Amino acid sequence: MPRRVAILGTRGYPSYYGGFETLVRTLAPYLADTGWDVSVYSRPGAIELQDPARDHRIESITTRGLDSQSLSTLSFGATSALSAIRRRPDVALVMNVANGFWLPFLRAARIPTVVNVDGIEWEREKWGANAKRAFRVGAQLTASHATSLIFDSAGIADRWTTGFGRDGTTIAYGGTVPGELDVPPGLQSGAYALLVSRFVPENTVEEFLDAAAIIAREHDVVLVGSSGYGGELDARAERLAAENSRVHWLGHVHDDQHLFALWRHAGAYFHGHSVGGTNPALVQAMACGAPTVARDTVFNREVLGDHAIFVQPDVSAIAAAVTTLLRSRTVQRDLAAAAEARARRCYSWDSVCEQYDVLLRQHVARSDRWGRKDISGASSVSISAPGRFDANLPTASGQ
């Protein structure tokens, strides 16, 4: 009989909203290929059931919640957890520490939980004080009640080891190396700057929009993304595009091939994310060979190595670095080739999915051995580098 895994905490399958959704679009079919019965919890209206890329072996389960910036994750997480408790999968893969509030109930139902903790949500500028406190409490509950943790970078693993006394397994995100792609209409290969980002302050969007006005004196600038809820950054991008014909605001791009082509032919991709570990958009940009100017953080340096230009979150510094890169095709080619090679070497989707598969199977086997009599002791998998897995499951006490 196939083992059953439930995936909670994303917008659903298939969804194109963010990094978790990209992971699930790749992981869910992989798990089905290896014999899993896969269910993914979804939000109403977040998925397209007629999507031609949909794998019909994957069950989508829609639950209700409050679709607001501050309450959506908590409310949809609650209804998904209640449904999972009724359906009793063999293991639950949970995304985001905000769902830590519901882990005690899954634990009481003796369902092993593997939690991808994502970034340091309680430090994100977009959240108010109450939301930050909620994420912090969710993280503490995750540390205490999750059966196992997944970190997407060594930097995130260090924060959890020192801050919560929990270790886990490090599994990064993967990137798809595309084939030949046509230059996006209206643009010239190697001659435009590109931003791909959710419009939130910690992604250095405000500074890049200011820099874009300077860059656009000589070069095209393409903006991909939005806040998802409207707001000042969206309004600024709209005004900038209306006032300058060199600035193109595309909003959220659902078509992967279009997005890959934008990265592939960019002369300079700016990556301003500052809070979090391995960023899925950055890994995919590398796989597409995008020459990158990145905000100087420990997380971005971990992913990029020496294959980028690093800057501080300063308008003048961003504008100067991007403009200089756009003027040098030789530097563009060198950075692009090195980034793509690093993506192939360190961030393969096959390796990422295999590690998830092995980890999930380990917890099902552990639950079978114990007959689900007690999964209350928080356990973890020793930290491993991308592409490696250590199947030892020592007991660790959560904080």
Side-chain angles (χ1 to χ4, degrees):
M1 180 177 178
R3 291 302 188 183
R4 296 176 300 141
V5 57
I7 302 177
L8 295 72
T10 76
R11 288 177 175 257
Y13 171 85
S15 176
Y16 299 84
Y17 181 75
F20 277 155
E21 287 72 23
T22 301
L23 169 63
V24 170
R25 287 205 317 275
T26 307
L27 177 62
Y30 180 98
L31 293 176
D33 285 343
T34 59
W36 287 92
D37 183 343
V38 185
S39 300
V40 181
Y41 282 89
S42 303
R43 301 182 186 183
I47 63 173
E48 176 53 64
L49 294 177
Q50 303 306 315
D51 188 331
R54 177 184 180 83
D55 187 324
H56 291 280
R57 296 174 299 174
I58 312 306
E59 181 184 18
S60 291
I61 305 171
T62 301
T63 63
R64 298 293 177 179
L66 300 174
D67 194 9
S68 71
Q69 185 176 15
S70 58
L71 295 175
S72 59
T73 300
L74 283 172
S75 61
F76 284 107
T79 56
S80 297
L82 289 172
S83 174
I85 289 168
R86 288 194 299 270
R87 294 168 62 94
R88 295 190 62 78
D90 296 293
V91 62
L93 175 59
V94 182
M95 308 295 192
N96 198 318
V97 296
N99 291 305
F101 286 92
W102 320 124
L103 294 180
F105 301 100
L106 292 165
R107 171 175 158 177
R110 307 193 192 285
I111 298 171
T113 53
V114 177
V115 182
N116 184 320
V117 302
D118 199 22
I120 312 300
E121 286 287 338
W122 53 93
E123 293 183 2
R124 294 189 188 275
E125 296 178 43
K126 71 175 181 178
W127 301 120
N130 289 334
K132 288 180 178 179
R133 280 193 291 271
F135 276 114
R136 181 72 185 185
V137 173
Q140 291 169 335
L141 289 167
T142 297
S144 297
H145 296 283
T147 313
S148 182
L149 303 182
I150 293 175
F151 312 120
D152 63 30
S153 75
I156 294 295
D158 289 344
R159 291 291 300 268
W160 277 79
T161 300
T162 58
F164 297 98
R166 284 295 303 267
D167 64 355
T169 188
T170 299
I171 309 176
Y173 291 97
T176 300
V177 178
E180 292 300 318
L181 296 168
D182 292 336
V183 181
L187 299 170
Q188 180 183 348
S189 184
Y192 61 90
L194 174 66
L195 172 77
V196 178
S197 174
R198 194 169 301 166
F199 282 12
V200 292
E202 62 267 20
N203 291 351
T204 326
V205 175
E206 183 174 3
E207 293 85 347
F208 185 80
L209 293 178
D210 287 338
I214 301 171
I215 299 165
R217 294 170 187 169
E218 300 179 35
H219 305 277
D220 283 339
V221 179
V222 179
L223 308 172
V224 175
S226 68
S227 68
Y229 295 93
E232 178 56 27
L233 292 176
D234 297 68
R236 287 190 58 196
E238 185 176 18
R239 287 196 303 269
L240 192 60
E243 294 167 359
N244 192 319
S245 62
R246 287 187 178 274
V247 178
H248 315 270
W249 181 36
L250 306 185
H252 187 70
V253 173
H254 295 270
D255 184 343
D256 280 350
Q257 293 305 303
H258 186 196
L259 187 55
F260 292 174
L262 287 167
W263 269 314
R264 172 72 87 187
H265 292 284
Y269 163 61
F270 177 71
H271 186 81
H273 295 59
S274 63
V275 180
T278 298
N279 183 267
L282 179 56
V283 171
Q284 187 56 59
M286 292 167 62
C288 291
T292 300
V293 175
R295 179 166 172 171
D296 195 354
T297 70
V298 63
F299 305 115
N300 292 339
R301 283 189 177 271
E302 179 181 338
V303 176
L304 287 158
D306 297 326
H307 310 311
I309 298 170
F310 295 95
V311 296
Q312 295 301 313
D314 173 79
V315 173
S316 297
I318 294 168
V322 170
T323 300
T324 299
L325 183 53
L326 285 168
R327 290 172 179 169
S328 176
R329 296 300 179 96
T330 300
V331 177
Q332 287 179 22
R333 286 192 295 268
D334 290 347
L335 289 178
E340 183 176 333
R342 183 173 174 83
R344 289 177 182 273
R345 184 172 65 253
C346 300
Y347 299 101
S348 157
W349 271 125
D350 284 343
S351 173
V352 168
C353 292
E354 180 183 9
Q355 290 176 84
Y356 272 91
D357 184 24
V358 172
L359 181 58
L360 293 169
R361 289 180 186 279
Q362 189 73 25
H363 283 291
V364 170
R366 177 174 179 262
S367 179
D368 285 347
R369 286 198 304 272
W370 291 3
R372 290 200 182 183
K373 292 180 180 178
D374 181 12
I375 61 167
S376 61
S379 67
S380 63
V381 178
S382 59
I383 295 171
S384 58
R388 297 183 57 198
F389 176 79
D390 187 337
N392 294 319
L393 286 168
T395 300
S397 58
Q399 182 175 333

